[in-house]
Amino acid sequence: MEAPHDATPATTLKITVNSPEQMGELGRRLAKLLRPGDLVMLTGELGAGKTTLARGLGEGLGVRGAVTSPTFVIARVHPSLGDGPPLVHVDAYRLGGGLDEMEDLDLDVSLPESVIVVEWGDGKVEELSDDRLRVLIHRAVGDTTDEVREVTVSGVGARWLEADLTLLSA
């Protein structure tokens, strides 16, 4: 099940986020669109807000445990506190290779029943699914507070053709 890294997005939305609180809220809204089997790739420079967004996703999904950066453990599983899917939060920053280097994480086994969120996953996890959501976070040019972010959410694959990403900008 190979998916090209540069697959054409089915749908794209750009959002301006003005604070870490708004980034967390974006994660909570995004959680409402997610279902078991979804792969979410978070991309952005260090300090862009990837983990803050993941924390909001965890809150929105109602999972157990604080969602923090899994940099040193690579992956954390957060079971659902209700009837929703568990969240598998991965930080691929220290992994240099592609999916081969991530095979020990068994993400392909977890994917059908979980929501998998991968920070720094570009070029490393696309082969997991033909359908994925790519969230690109950039610091806004000219922002003097260092808090404003431009977020581009792109759904790739049939799963996202009918998704209403405008719910994220509510």
Side-chain angles (χ1 to χ4, degrees), residues 9-12 30 33-35 38-40 129-134 153-165:
T11 182
T12 298
L30 179 56
L33 296 176
L34 298 177
R35 61 184 186 213
D38 283 340
L39 172 64
V40 180
S129 178
D130 290 337
D131 301 305
R132 60 191 172 274
L133 196 63
R134 184 169 184 255
V153 181
S154 302
V156 175
R159 155 75 174 97
W160 298 102
L161 279 173
E162 303 298 320
D164 185 7
L165 295 182

Side-chain angles (χ1 to χ4, degrees), residues 85-102:
L87 171 67
V88 179
H89 183 206
V90 179
D91 187 330
Y93 182 74
R94 294 186 304 130
L95 302 178
L99 191 58
D100 291 345
E101 196 171 326
M102 298 187 74

